Amino acid sequence: MSANYAVVLAAGQGTRMKSKLYKVLHPVCGKSMVEHVIGQIEQLNLTQIVTIIGYGGKQVKEVLGKRTEFAVQQEQLGTGHAVLQAEQILGEKKGTTLIICGDTPLFKAATLADLFAYHQQQKAAATILTAKAPDPTGYGRIIRDQAGNVAKIVEQKDTTPAEAAINEINTGVYCFDNQTLFQALHQVTNDNAQHEYYLTDVIEICQKSGQKVAAFAMKDFNESMGVNDRVALAKATSLMRQRINETQMRNGVTLIDPQNTYIDSDVQIGADTVIEPGVVLKGKTIIGENCLIGAHSQITASTIADNVTITASVLENAEMAEGSNIGPYSHLRPQAKIGPRVHIGNFVEVKKAEIGADTKVGHLTYVGDATLGRHINVGCGCVFVNYDGINKHHTTVGDYSFIGSSSNMVAPLQIADHAYVAAGSTITGDVAAHDMAIARGRQVNKAGYYDRYPVAKAAQQAEQAEKSFK
């Protein structure tokens, strides 16, 4: 079995994107375009992958790491010149080489595998991946002879009326016999208006030398979409999102409104989970079975176990154990770990804290840098005061404790099992087991004090007016 290789063209600056970010690094559903391309190629189990980089190449290397080798195109002299930069790595090797662009994030591994198979079946020197375009305007047309063989590729500006009516187009993806490719690249000239070395010229060189050029027509034109500006980026993102959502639904996930559900490509969701409209799921988020993700929740790089309910809340780098629930309008920040059957109510923020099984944090509370045990009740309006202006400090609350409403726990602090904090307290010292901590001023009532304030006079006038009206 012959070796297979791939060359990914990712050296273009992408001026039409009008961005400081290197073009192939623009994200589509959570991953850069070039990561999508590399990810599909990796499924083909190729011998080697070489990515051609140029402007912004350092950033591409940081993103792709060791998933590919790299060759540098110092000057942007055309696609043929770009592929030629891989010669030192691949030039002498036997086998088949795939050429694909790094700004085509929608190609599927299955399509590329079919292209390889067809190329090798045909024993071709070169095979062009083609597609039937609904509107072929702007694309090079595939002109076939009566036997169905490729006669030539004609660019839009050079087509006759009959050729312009042809809707089979060149997608810019090819398979080549590797040694034939690099031999032909040395024959390519830049005798054209752009003074560039075009990869398409290799096709003509192969034909003139009597070598077979084949064309494989892919089924879905949308896969071939290249991204050159923000409009195309939005369209590619929409198509990828539709693909992701359909896959999730076929795997047993209910999306109430797929058109308004935003799921990144690495997200995993279990069967019988329901996703309501406006939900955004990002990064390597994992959601278990039988969950309910309520409308307009946003979850990033978090792990959600089975039977969890999330209502209109935001989670980032957090964990929720089985049977827990949160929201509405709460926020789990990084390193928040919510235990089994925990209730996190509305307007609660949790950061770098672990909350044990069956604990309840009802509403309007901040829990930061803390460890809470099991079966604790945290009342409304509590604050775990973790920051002294310079350092963060930790609070520990033991099992079966009770934290009364509007209490402040000033860290560092240890509250033992079965302890009680009275409502309205500011706790600065440790609390022992079975103790109740009260840290608030004694109530004093001043007789007749209300009448000394202007508000009393205004109230009396309002009361008199109300009586007169009746």
Side-chain angles (χ1 to χ4, degrees):
M1 183 175 178
S2 63
N4 292 333
Y5 313 97
V7 175
V8 180
L9 303 182
Q13 184 173 354
T15 54
R16 281 181 282 177
M17 297 295 287
K18 294 182 169 60
S19 174
K20 296 181 180 66
L21 183 64
Y22 192 47
K23 182 173 76 165
V24 298
L25 296 182
H26 278 266
V28 171
C29 295
K31 289 195 292 192
S32 67
M33 292 191 284
V34 72
E35 284 180 282
H36 280 290
V37 174
I38 293 291
Q40 296 303 306
I41 291 173
E42 286 173 330
Q43 296 180 44
L44 305 177
N45 297 315
L46 304 185
T47 306
Q48 268 179 300
I49 302 172
V50 180
T51 300
I52 310 300
I53 56 175
Y55 173 86
K58 182 180 179 181
Q59 293 174 291
V60 178
K61 281 187 172 182
E62 289 172 353
V63 169
L64 297 180
K66 296 181 179 180
R67 298 170 67 183
T68 174
E69 297 179 64
F70 298 94
V72 179
Q73 185 185 25
Q74 298 289 358
E75 296 182 83
Q76 308 299 295
L77 300 178
T79 52
H81 178 261
V83 175
L84 193 57
Q85 307 315 302
E87 185 175 32
Q88 288 188 338
I89 301 173
L90 299 178
E92 298 300 320
K93 297 183 177 181
K94 294 182 179 181
T96 301
T97 297
L98 171 75
I99 309 294
I100 188 170
C101 294
D103 60 0
T104 54
L106 298 174
F107 276 114
K108 296 179 182 178
T111 300
L112 301 178
D114 288 344
L115 174 62
F116 266 111
Y118 185 82
H119 171 81
Q120 290 164 356
Q121 176 190 354
Q122 294 294 312
K123 296 182 172 55
T127 301
I128 308 160
L129 182 61
T130 72
K132 297 292 182 67
D135 178 6
T137 304
Y139 291 94
R141 307 303 202 278
I142 302 298
I143 311 301
R144 295 178 182 263
D145 60 25
Q146 292 182 345
N149 299 315
V150 176
K152 57 182 177 178
I153 302 173
V154 181
E155 297 303 321
Q156 171 74 37
K157 64 181 183 301
D158 298 323
T159 57
T160 65
E163 290 169 339
I166 294 171
N167 67 348
E168 186 178 11
I169 57 94
N170 176 19
T171 67
V173 176
Y174 311 87
C175 272
F176 290 100
D177 173 79
N178 188 68
Q179 291 186 335
T180 298
L181 169 65
F182 287 103
Q183 291 168 5
L185 283 171
H186 284 287
Q187 301 175 48
V188 174
T189 69
N190 65 347
D191 186 18
N192 52 63
Q194 300 298 321
H195 298 293
E196 292 185 351
Y197 298 88
Y198 294 131
L199 181 60
T200 50
D201 288 354
V202 172
I203 300 298
E204 185 178 355
I205 291 168
C206 289
Q207 287 173 321
K208 287 182 176 179
S209 63
Q211 299 181 85
K212 184 173 183 177
V213 174
F216 176 73
M218 61 191 290
K219 296 178 181 178
D220 184 3
F221 168 74
N222 286 331
E223 282 189 48
S224 68
M225 181 181 177
V227 175
N228 291 312
D229 58 24
R230 307 285 181 139
V231 175
L233 181 66
K235 184 176 180 182
T237 300
S238 178
L239 290 167
M240 181 67 78
R241 184 167 61 244
Q242 179 181 344
R243 180 188 297 177
I244 292 168
N245 289 357
E246 288 181 359
T247 299
Q248 294 288 359
M249 289 187 286
R250 295 186 191 284
N251 288 339
V253 179
T254 295
L255 304 185
I256 302 299
D257 184 1
Q259 297 301 316
N260 291 291
T261 303
Y262 307 88
I263 303 175
D264 278 358
S265 57
D266 285 337
V267 172
Q268 301 176 39
I269 308 174
D272 293 315
T273 285
V274 177
I275 312 291
E276 293 185 341
V279 168
V280 180
L281 305 177
K282 296 182 175 182
K284 295 184 181 298
T285 290
I286 300 173
I287 299 174
E289 297 182 351
N290 300 301
C291 294
L292 173 62
I293 313 299
H296 307 295
S297 294
Q298 180 170 308
I299 304 174
T300 303
S302 296
T303 301
I304 314 300
D306 296 343
N307 303 301
V308 170
T309 297
I310 297 171
T311 305
S313 293
V314 175
L315 287 70
E316 47 185 326
N317 298 98
E319 299 177 18
M320 292 187 69
E322 184 169 3
S324 58
N325 65 84
I326 184 172
Y329 311 119
S330 288
H331 187 184
L332 299 185
R333 292 170 58 192
Q335 299 182 59
K337 296 183 179 181
I338 308 304
R341 302 172 301 282
V342 167
H343 168 64
I344 304 293
N346 53 308
F347 299 103
V348 174
E349 181 177 348
V350 181
K351 187 272 297 180
K352 198 179 180 183
E354 186 170 348
I355 299 179
D358 300 295
T359 287
K360 295 179 174 59
V361 185
H363 34 273
L364 299 165
T365 290
Y366 171 69
V367 183
D369 291 274
T371 301
L372 276 63
R374 300 177 296 115
H375 294 280
I376 298 168
N377 187 88
V378 179
C380 175
C382 293
V383 178
F384 285 72
V385 185
N386 59 328
Y387 185 49
D388 64 9
I390 298 175
N391 298 308
K392 300 288 181 70
H393 301 280
H394 196 83
T395 293
T396 300
V397 181
D399 299 342
Y400 294 95
S401 293
F402 184 95
I403 309 297
S405 297
S406 298
S407 294
N408 299 312
M409 277 57 66
V410 182
L413 189 63
Q414 294 279 338
I415 299 174
D417 295 349
H418 302 280
Y420 194 106
V421 173
S425 295
T426 296
I427 305 300
T428 58
D430 293 349
V431 183
H434 300 278
D435 283 1
M436 180 174 73
I438 305 175
R440 60 191 183 207
R442 185 177 297 276
Q443 181 174 324
V444 177
N445 294 345
K446 301 286 187 178
Y449 201 77
Y450 175 85
D451 297 330
R452 296 170 54 184
Y453 276 81
V455 69
K457 185 176 181 180
Q460 290 170 356
Q461 291 173 347
E463 286 177 336
Q464 290 173 358
E466 186 176 357
K467 289 176 181 178
S468 299
F469 178 77
K470 290 180 178 179

